[in-house]
Amino acid sequence: WKYIILNSNLFYKNTTGNAKEHYAEEALNWLSFQLNSARSNRQKVLIFYHMPIGLRPTKRFARPDVAALWTPKSNTRFINLIHQYSSSVKGIIHGHVHRKAFMMLQEDKTNHLPQYLVSSISPIFGNNPTFSTFSYKKDKLTMKQVLL
């Protein structure tokens, strides 16, 4: 297994700064290199990051431009990388919205990538504090959520 920790705050549509697109592109280039290395070494990959891709679960019924957290350019490039290296990437674990959720990133009608949105230890948004533990064996990943 290979674990990749990615700074998804670089892809956030509300991030400010003169060079934000440059740093986002550099992060995705680095991810591409890491995924290529994993595929070459026949490693399974889990990707961890903070801000979920796609539509924010708490706003999924809003317009896509409101519900999306990432910039369209970063979103498209990331999804293309995940599809390109789908034989290696086995799951995504992220947070940000202080709620637990399970989502699928769908490549086509038969290939789906699980996304685990982990809840928060902080109750500041009215959620019960929780944490999740993940276990893996050679060919299997399981999750257990603990409610505090």
Side-chain angles (χ1 to χ4, degrees):
W1 285 86
K2 180 173 190 163
Y3 303 105
I4 297 175
I5 313 300
L6 186 64
N7 182 2
S8 63
N9 290 340
L10 296 170
F11 315 134
Y12 184 46
K13 69 180 180 182
N14 293 335
T15 297
T16 59
N18 295 336
K20 80 174 196 173
E21 285 189 28
H22 167 76
Y23 290 117
E25 189 67 25
E26 286 295 312
L28 291 168
N29 290 341
W30 175 84
L31 177 62
S32 178
F33 177 83
Q34 296 300 320
L35 293 173
N36 189 52
S37 170
R39 182 171 62 189
S40 296
N41 292 315
R42 292 181 157 75
Q43 292 175 298
K44 295 175 183 171
V45 174
L46 281 176
I47 301 175
F48 297 82
Y49 53 82
H50 177 73
M51 203 164 302
I53 190 168
L55 301 180
R56 170 182 350 197
T58 57
K59 304 268 188 206
R60 65 184 175 271
F61 299 114
R63 292 187 337 258
D65 61 319
V66 172
L69 290 169
W70 290 19
T71 65
K73 184 176 180 180
S74 294
N75 192 75
T76 299
R77 173 106 192 270
F78 181 84
I79 288 172
N80 288 341
L81 285 171
I82 296 303
H83 290 203
Q84 180 180 351
Y85 295 100
S86 62
S87 63
S88 298
V89 180
K90 300 302 176 191
I92 296 173
I93 300 171
H94 47 79
H96 183 70
V97 296
H98 293 257
R99 288 172 177 77
K100 68 178 178 173
F102 178 79
M103 301 183 292
M104 299 296 275
L105 184 60
Q106 187 172 345
E107 182 177 352
D108 55 38
K109 291 185 179 191
T110 58
N111 294 312
H112 303 82
L113 179 66
Q115 297 183 77
Y116 301 94
L117 191 113
V118 295
S119 191
S120 171
I121 197 84
S122 166
I124 64 171
F125 290 103
N127 57 292
N128 289 325
T130 63
F131 65 90
S132 300
T133 59
F134 292 85
S135 304
Y136 66 92
K137 294 183 180 177
K138 185 176 180 180
D139 295 316
K140 186 177 181 182
L141 173 70
T142 57
M143 181 190 82
K144 178 181 179 186
Q145 185 170 20
V146 179
L147 186 62
L148 300 178

